[in-house]
Amino acid sequence: MRRRNIIAALVLLALGAGYGILTSQLPTRSLPDTPGPPFFPWINTIVLLALSATLFVQGFVGANGPVPTGSEGRLRATWALGVFVVYLVILPGLGFLLATTPFFAALMVLFGERRVLRVAAGAILGTALLYLLFRHGFGVFLPTGLLKGIVP
Amino acid sequence: MSPDVLAGISQASGFLVLLSTVVGVFLGLTVGMIPGMTISTGIIVLLPVTFVLPADISIALLLGLYVGGMTGGSFSAVLLNIPGTPSASATALDGYPMSARGEAGRALGIAITSSFIGGMVSFLCLLFIAPLLAEVALSFRTEDMFALVFFGITIICSFAAQSLVKGLLSGVIGLAIVTIGQDPVMGTQRFTFGQVNLLGGIHFLTAMIGLFAIPQLVSNLVESVGGAQRIQTKLQSVLPRMSDLRAIRMPVTIGSLTGAFLGILPGAGGPIAAFISYDYTRRISKRREKFGEGTVEGVAAPESANNAVTGGALIPMMTLGIPGDPVTAILIGALIIHGLAPGPLMFTERGDFAFGLIFSFFWANIFNFIIALTALRVLVKLLATPRSLLMPTVAVLCVIGSFALRNNFFDVYVMLFFGLVGLAMRWLDMPVVPLLLALVLGVPLEENLRVALTSSQGDISIFFSSPIAVTFLGLSALSIIWSIRSARLRQRSDPPSSKESSP
């Protein structure tokens, strides 16, 4: 955990510095003795840098706590995140029904379902039910994408 | 009886509101029971529905889920020794041994009854304390409000983290994120990078969906909490015996009062209340050596405590606009979406709605008791829901929820970004709750700080001229000192480990 703390502290120090630079570019208020728009971000910058520095020091002198152990599931989790990103990229263009069905199916497989029929039925029915419920039941304007004009 | 109270009773007793309370309770019991699903995740899943429903129905639905979820967590704790929610962890200590010796029905009956009593005690606290506190809070000036919100943030950080530095860092990151968008006093654009979508800032519900649901999904994949669960124990009658009811009088009293009190404190939450009640009940019990082997007292104390927390947590949320946990933070978000700002003015400007919320909470407890007792066997079968169907549904609902907020894909990408942030924080053992609550409290914190300093022309002594502000600032200092002290004690006694508790 020590090494992780040091990495986190360095990333947060960089973030704090970047936030500080952006804060210095904010417009200030002309009225004297009154806090302007950069006032609160400056406080955040100082506290963020101070705490990050403390974490950095703790990384060297603190106790080395246990690192959460991984498992074979980590690979599946990485796959799931990848699938999620692809889904969000294709969703606006393809529309909810066409994008969600394969996404749903992929997640079902990653969560251990191997029977093809079940995956297909779950993905198609699950997606269709969610679409009907939210688009027509609750009036959420889910995108139709390529199926515009074909599905209501 | 004041007209607002009557209007509140009428609002909460309308057919559709009652129906949504029942649905909420049923969903809550289900969500709370399924290991790997938390109440927060359940509420996130329901969010897109609440955007389009009227405010009274939405709140009744969410309150039902909140109350039901607390009780549902005990089902899997008793039957499987896997607490459905962190708040049910203490219940498993005695609940599971009872189940193992064939008394699962008895343990569940005690858990349901204790939850009901705890919930009703907290309802009474909410009904009588909240209006009084709101009246007191009306006299708060900006410097007092700043000190109060600051206290809320420090106490949340200290409760939520094993490492105070990481808890505070998480909170500060949240405070930095709320500065994105227009500044709350002058309307100046800050950190928008020319993005029109960032002008309104980052909606905390979007952040919340990402912070909680994505790591939850990933952790279900990584930790592989198991597929569908099957109950081996046969459930007999769940109606508690008279002798059991007599035995749980004291534990339920301790649990209910402890839970209601700790619920009022931001960040304390169900798990802490449950363990404190369990421990105290064990200490004063004549048969303390039996605790851990399956006693009804050991089930009753934590179960009454974690349900009593719910009403307690609604008190600061409704009267001060300060959420005590992620669930009340979401409730604030749901209210804001419907144009209702929680805080002291809620009782004067929308007293009917405020009391309607309180009485919806009352109904939620009633229905929770009835549904849990009568539909237990059906509910338990839901433990067999395949994870491979449940989790993809949750993932899609996260996307719908963040999209439905403003019909905007930008929010969906923001949700994913916060999901990755949540994962990174989990990797670092950094709690996400302070970040989330800072997202809620950041704007009032900055607004009150700047308005107070503007009115005093930059003189910071304004924060030390009001007794209320001084009290809260003093409490903030005490909270930080206490956290540092307990962290040191913990380091000496235990190897560091961390498990964040969120409902």
Side-chain angles (χ1 to χ4, degrees):
Chain A
M1 187 49 77
R2 259 198 220 166
R3 196 169 66 89
R4 289 189 184 189
N5 285 351
I6 293 168
I7 295 169
L10 289 172
V11 171
L12 290 170
L13 279 168
L15 264 177
Y19 185 73
I21 291 167
L22 289 171
T23 301
S24 68
Q25 294 164 0
L26 289 173
T28 49
R29 198 175 183 179
S30 52
L31 283 171
D33 298 327
T34 53
F39 178 72
F40 195 65
W42 273 128
I43 298 176
N44 286 338
T45 306
I46 294 164
V47 179
L48 183 57
L49 288 172
L51 288 170
S52 306
T54 311
L55 187 64
F56 185 72
V57 174
Q58 279 186 349
F60 288 101
V61 299
N64 192 11
V67 175
T69 49
S71 69
E72 57 185 27
R74 189 164 288 171
L75 185 66
R76 273 182 291 149
T78 313
W79 269 106
L81 280 175
V83 168
F84 215 123
V85 172
V86 172
Y87 170 57
L88 294 189
V89 170
I90 62 171
L91 179 59
L94 287 184
F96 184 81
L97 287 171
L98 290 182
T100 305
T101 309
F103 171 66
F104 203 110
L107 284 189
M108 282 187 78
V109 173
L110 286 168
F111 273 99
E113 183 58 71
R114 294 286 180 270
R115 290 162 290 191
V116 179
L117 265 179
R118 284 209 178 195
V119 171
I124 292 168
L125 286 176
T127 305
L129 274 174
L130 288 170
Y131 180 80
L132 285 173
L133 182 69
F134 282 95
R135 172 117 183 166
H136 297 291
F138 297 118
V140 177
F141 198 70
L142 292 173
T144 45
L146 293 178
L147 296 180
K148 193 175 181 181
I150 301 170
V151 291
Chain B
M1 207 180 276
S2 88
D4 280 341
V5 176
L6 290 173
I9 294 172
S10 160
Q11 176 193 300
S13 310
F15 175 72
L16 286 177
V17 179
L18 286 178
L19 183 67
S20 67
T21 313
V22 171
V23 173
V25 167
F26 192 84
L27 290 173
L29 286 165
T30 310
V31 161
M33 190 174 55
I34 297 174
M37 291 282 284
T38 61
I39 302 173
S40 304
T41 316
I43 287 197
I44 285 166
V45 164
L46 266 189
L47 266 182
V49 178
T50 64
F51 296 157
V52 291
L53 291 174
D56 50 352
I57 294 178
S58 304
I59 292 300
L61 191 65
L62 296 176
L63 283 175
L65 197 145
Y66 189 17
V67 172
M70 282 290 185
T71 307
S74 66
F75 293 179
S76 53
V78 169
L79 295 169
L80 305 167
N81 203 20
I82 305 170
T85 58
S87 298
S89 304
T91 310
L93 295 175
D94 277 81
Y96 185 67
M98 283 181 76
S99 176
R101 62 170 187 249
E103 293 182 328
R106 187 181 170 210
L108 289 170
I110 294 293
I112 293 165
T113 311
S114 309
S115 294
F116 172 67
I117 298 169
M120 293 313 279
V121 168
S122 75
F123 158 72
L124 292 174
C125 292
L126 180 63
L127 180 65
F128 291 109
I129 296 174
L132 293 177
L133 192 60
E135 212 169 303
V136 173
L138 273 176
S139 62
F140 282 16
R141 291 178 298 181
T142 49
E143 56 271 26
D144 303 327
M145 280 309 291
F146 163 75
L148 171 69
V149 175
F150 184 70
F151 170 59
I153 286 184
T154 58
I155 200 166
I156 287 161
C157 292
S158 61
F159 269 118
Q162 289 280 340
S163 156
L164 181 64
V165 174
K166 287 183 183 176
L168 290 172
L169 264 170
S170 172
V172 176
I173 293 168
L175 292 179
I177 290 167
V178 291
T179 57
I180 295 171
Q182 291 183 326
D183 101 70
V185 180
M186 294 173 66
T188 311
Q189 286 181 34
R190 297 185 301 194
F191 315 113
T192 54
F193 310 103
Q195 272 278 344
V196 181
N197 289 312
L198 286 175
L199 274 179
I202 287 172
H203 202 292
F204 80 87
L205 288 179
T206 319
M208 164 117 199
I209 295 172
L211 282 170
F212 278 86
I214 302 289
Q216 187 80 51
L217 285 167
V218 169
S219 114
N220 270 291
L221 274 168
V222 173
E223 288 161 15
S224 184
V225 285
Q229 308 281 350
R230 300 218 178 269
I231 310 300
Q232 303 299 329
T233 317
K234 195 182 171 192
L235 285 175
Q236 52 313 65
S237 169
V238 290
L239 284 175
R241 306 167 195 161
M242 279 311 287
S243 57
D244 285 345
L245 290 176
R246 274 195 295 274
I248 64 169
R249 276 179 305 184
M250 186 52 80
V252 163
T253 309
I254 292 168
S256 302
L257 296 177
T258 310
F261 174 71
L262 286 177
I264 297 172
L265 295 179
I272 293 174
F275 276 106
I276 288 178
S277 306
Y278 180 85
D279 187 52
Y280 190 68
T281 305
R282 186 178 59 82
R283 279 167 198 258
I284 63 162
S285 172
K286 283 176 188 159
R287 40 190 214 125
R288 73 190 68 155
E289 71 286 350
K290 297 281 178 196
F291 274 64
E293 294 173 14
T295 60
V296 287
E297 296 94 324
V299 175
E303 269 311 299
S304 52
N306 63 35
N307 268 65
V309 161
T310 52
L314 290 173
I315 295 174
M317 184 213 93
M318 289 183 71
T319 56
L320 306 168
I322 293 185
D325 57 31
V327 179
T328 43
I330 304 171
L331 287 174
I332 287 184
L335 287 171
I336 290 172
I337 282 170
H338 289 285
L340 296 153
L345 285 175
M346 196 177 179
F347 278 87
T348 48
E349 290 178 352
R350 288 299 310 272
D352 56 335
F353 187 84
F355 282 102
L357 193 156
I358 293 173
F359 283 100
S360 282
F361 179 73
F362 166 80
W363 282 120
N365 277 290
I366 299 280
F367 290 130
N368 183 43
F369 183 62
I370 296 169
I371 295 172
L373 275 183
T374 54
L376 185 62
R377 284 180 180 82
V378 179
L379 283 164
V380 164
K381 283 188 182 142
L382 293 174
L383 275 173
T385 308
R387 199 162 301 273
S388 58
L389 203 58
L390 191 68
M391 290 303 159
T393 310
V394 171
V396 176
L397 284 170
C398 290
V399 174
I400 296 176
S402 39
F403 175 80
L405 199 59
R406 294 188 278 208
N407 279 342
N408 190 340
F409 276 108
F410 182 78
D411 287 330
V412 182
Y413 301 135
V414 170
M415 182 272 293
L416 180 66
F417 170 78
F418 275 96
L420 297 175
V421 170
L423 284 171
M425 291 175 77
R426 188 169 281 203
W427 182 70
L428 289 166
D429 214 7
M430 189 182 277
V432 296
V433 174
L435 191 157
L436 170 77
L437 298 180
L439 290 179
V440 181
L441 296 174
V443 172
L445 186 76
E446 178 180 9
E447 200 172 358
N448 288 303
L449 173 67
R450 284 174 60 191
V451 171
L453 284 174
T454 302
S455 69
S456 70
Q457 293 187 313
D459 183 3
I460 60 162
S461 68
I462 189 171
F463 298 111
F464 304 101
S465 59
S466 152
I468 298 170
V470 169
T471 307
F472 282 120
L473 289 176
L475 287 170
S476 308
L478 278 177
S479 144
I480 292 173
I481 292 166
W482 180 78
S483 308
I484 295 170
R485 212 178 119 75
S486 41
R488 282 193 182 156
L489 284 172
R490 215 168 25 232
Q491 270 177 5
R492 275 182 214 157
S493 57
D494 291 321
S497 66
S498 172
K499 183 172 169 62
E500 188 175 358
S501 57
S502 78

